[in-house]
Amino acid sequence: MKILLNLLLSGIAVFITAYVLPGVEVDSFVTALIVAVVLGVLNAFLKPVLLLLTLPINLLTLGLFTFVINVGLVFLATTLVSGFAVSGILWALAFSLVLSLVNSFFGMLK
C-alpha cells in the first residue's frame, strides 16, 4: 500500500512539475506515472553506478557534477517514455530541481 502511495505521489509531483515548467511536456497523468517509475528505477540502479564512476570529478566540483548526472537521467527518461519531452539542458536541470522540491514537500505530508 505504501509503495502505491509513493508511486501516486511521485506521479503527481511529475505532473505538477511539468505543469509549472513550460519547457517540460507530459501528455497525461498516466505518462507522469510512467515517468515517475522510470526515474525511480534509473535513480535506484543507474545513478549509484554513475556516481561511483564519476567520483573524482564529483569531488573536484564539490558535488556539483551530480546535477549533470541528474540532467542525463532526465534526458534518458525522455528517450524511454513517449509522451514526455524536455526542451533543453536547462529545462532538464529545472525539472530535476523542482521535482526534488515537490517530492520533498509531499514527503513532509506523509
Side-chain angles (χ1 to χ4, degrees), residues 70 84 91:
N70 286 339
F84 175 57
W91 287 116

Side-chain angles (χ1 to χ4, degrees), residues 30-78:
V30 174
T31 305
L33 286 174
I34 294 169
V35 170
V37 169
V38 168
L39 283 175
V41 169
L42 290 175
N43 283 328
F45 295 110
L46 191 57
K47 188 173 182 177
V49 173
L50 291 174
L51 286 174
L52 186 63
L53 291 174
T54 61
L55 187 61
I57 199 166
N58 220 343
L59 288 173
L60 285 174
T61 62
L62 303 174
L64 292 176
F65 193 75
T66 306
F67 290 123
V68 175
I69 293 171
N70 286 339
V71 167
L73 292 177
V74 168
F75 275 126
L76 182 59
T78 61

Side-chain angles (χ1 to χ4, degrees), residues 8-30:
L8 181 66
L9 289 176
S10 294
I12 292 170
V14 169
F15 201 70
I16 289 171
T17 305
Y19 180 76
V20 170
L21 298 174
V24 179
E25 296 178 17
V26 175
D27 286 346
S28 66
F29 184 70
V30 174

